[in-house]
Amino acid sequence: MQYETISVTQPDNGISLITVNRPKKLNALNKNTINELHEAFKTAEGNPEVKVIILTGVGEKAFVAGADISEFANYNQVQGEELAAKGQRLLFDFIENLSKPVIAAINGFALGGGLELAMASHFRIASATAKMGLPEVSLGLIPGYGGTQRLAQLVGKGLAIEMITTASMIDAQKALDSGLVNHVVPTDQLLETAKSIAGKITKNSPVAISAALKAINANYQKTTNGYDVEIKAFGACFATQDFKEGTSAFLEKRKANFSGQ
């Protein structure tokens, strides 16, 4: 599929790279970008050759420097609610609930919807020059793509409230110290590091990884008992070919060759 605002690589050793490609707009999200990202993630989800997805922005200035404000500056209350609801359903919640791990490689500014996009990913790696924040209150708004929820889950309520109410940015080291990102690396090592970690993931059972992601996410769903989801997912693993292969390989002292079945 041809895209206008993103680029997607063919799977390489099980890893697919999705890049937001709007450099003149610092990779800001607009409706078309959100739709194209949805299609790209949906395609990757359905491609058995893809084991891990890395998400980044083109260039070194920005991962995604927010949303394209010009698209919604004249919206009313109903349109604003629809904008948030559709965006969350189509992209942010969609990414969070993918069965394949998504690594956000933050290569510069991740602001507003950009930080929300990174937080919807399963974990984050930042370049040393990255800056992150949710500045929406400076526009008379609040984060609308899950930012008020995911930021507090990741860094704690106090820091989340401070970041959101002051509209302040934090640097990569602060993001690392607070748990917002897993790793901070030099800019020229960002994708290399992301691919190295992704490579470790590809060696493991896709079925088990999918079950683990589902169980972990269940802990953050108020109407779901995460322990019950874990128990059922754990039991379901015993019926898979990957379980048989993994245990056989362990007992036979060889590397497992997982089929994803």
Side-chain angles (χ1 to χ4, degrees), residues 165-208:
T165 58
T166 62
S168 299
M169 290 188 293
I170 62 173
D171 62 20
Q173 186 59 50
K174 177 69 172 179
L176 179 64
D177 293 342
S178 66
L180 183 53
V181 303
N182 292 38
H183 305 276
V184 174
V185 299
T187 300
D188 61 359
Q189 297 177 24
L190 180 63
L191 284 181
E192 178 184 340
T193 302
K195 290 178 180 179
S196 176
I197 296 172
K200 295 178 181 179
I201 295 172
T202 63
K203 296 177 182 178
N204 300 313
S205 163
V207 175

Side-chain angles (χ1 to χ4, degrees), residues 118-223:
M119 291 191 296
S121 303
H122 295 117
F123 61 93
R124 290 144 292 285
I125 303 169
S127 69
T129 57
K131 304 283 187 181
M132 286 153 265
L134 295 174
E136 284 86 349
V137 296
S138 67
L139 301 172
L141 292 171
I142 68 168
Y145 289 143
T148 62
Q149 307 303 298
R150 292 189 179 100
L151 184 61
Q153 290 169 3
L154 288 166
V155 306
K157 182 179 178 181
L159 180 55
I161 290 175
E162 180 182 349
M163 286 179 62
I164 291 171
T165 58
T166 62
S168 299
M169 290 188 293
I170 62 173
D171 62 20
Q173 186 59 50
K174 177 69 172 179
L176 179 64
D177 293 342
S178 66
L180 183 53
V181 303
N182 292 38
H183 305 276
V184 174
V185 299
T187 300
D188 61 359
Q189 297 177 24
L190 180 63
L191 284 181
E192 178 184 340
T193 302
K195 290 178 180 179
S196 176
I197 296 172
K200 295 178 181 179
I201 295 172
T202 63
K203 296 177 182 178
N204 300 313
S205 163
V207 175
I209 288 170
S210 175
L213 292 175
K214 182 177 180 180
I216 293 167
N217 282 337
N219 180 59
Y220 299 96
Q221 299 169 3
K222 292 183 178 179
T223 59

Side-chain angles (χ1 to χ4, degrees), residues 69-131:
I69 297 169
S70 63
E71 284 195 336
F72 58 78
N74 296 316
Y75 275 19
N76 60 31
Q77 179 178 346
V78 172
Q79 291 172 312
E81 290 181 9
E82 290 175 347
L83 177 71
K86 183 177 180 180
Q88 288 190 29
R89 181 182 67 254
L90 197 64
L91 184 59
F92 299 84
D93 292 349
F94 187 77
I95 290 174
E96 184 176 64
N97 291 296
L98 281 183
S99 67
K100 300 176 180 182
V102 179
I103 304 171
I106 304 173
N107 55 308
F109 290 109
L111 304 175
L115 181 54
E116 290 175 301
L117 185 61
M119 291 191 296
S121 303
H122 295 117
F123 61 93
R124 290 144 292 285
I125 303 169
S127 69
T129 57
K131 304 283 187 181

